[in-house]
Amino acid sequence: MPQVPLSPDAQKILILLAYHGYLTRLSRQLGNETVGENIKKARNKLGLTQDDLVRKSGVKHTTLTKIEGDFVQKPSVQVIAKIAKALGVSIEDLI
């Protein structure tokens, strides 16, 4: 298959995605769970879908998806507070 040259922007995106994956794997190796993993775990424990949590919390679906996918590593306190309240857990349980 012939290789297609990538634009500089596409190259930057690929590098950032690779770096993101590296940081996520490193965090897991160190035994640290991310905020996104903690939210997903709490949500699944309650049997909630992402749509359910979006409705209960008032957080945008794209925001929740980015947090659970670890693309947002440090969500705002306001967002975490809304999610924690909807899940019936403390903010500390999620961070």
Side-chain angles (χ1 to χ4, degrees):
M1 181 185 316
Q3 290 185 342
V4 179
L6 297 175
S7 71
D9 287 339
Q11 290 174 3
K12 289 176 188 175
I13 290 169
L14 286 175
I15 290 168
L16 287 173
L17 287 173
Y19 185 65
H20 172 265
Y22 166 76
L23 290 178
T24 301
R25 285 189 306 276
L26 180 61
S27 177
R28 288 185 181 138
Q29 288 173 354
L30 294 173
N32 301 330
E33 291 182 340
T34 65
V35 173
E37 289 170 332
N38 291 335
I39 291 170
K40 189 173 185 177
K41 201 180 284 186
R43 177 176 61 76
N44 287 331
K45 187 175 180 180
L46 295 173
L48 298 175
T49 65
Q50 284 185 335
D51 288 334
D52 294 333
L53 184 53
V54 164
R55 281 191 290 278
K56 284 185 77 167
S57 67
V59 172
K60 292 181 182 178
H61 194 276
T62 53
T63 301
L64 179 61
T65 303
K66 288 177 184 178
I67 294 169
E68 283 194 0
D70 293 327
F71 288 100
V72 174
Q73 296 287 321
K74 295 181 181 179
S76 72
V77 173
Q78 293 86 353
V79 168
I80 292 294
K82 288 179 182 181
I83 293 171
K85 183 177 180 183
L87 292 171
V89 299
S90 70
I91 292 173
E92 292 79 15
D93 289 336
L94 299 180
I95 57 174

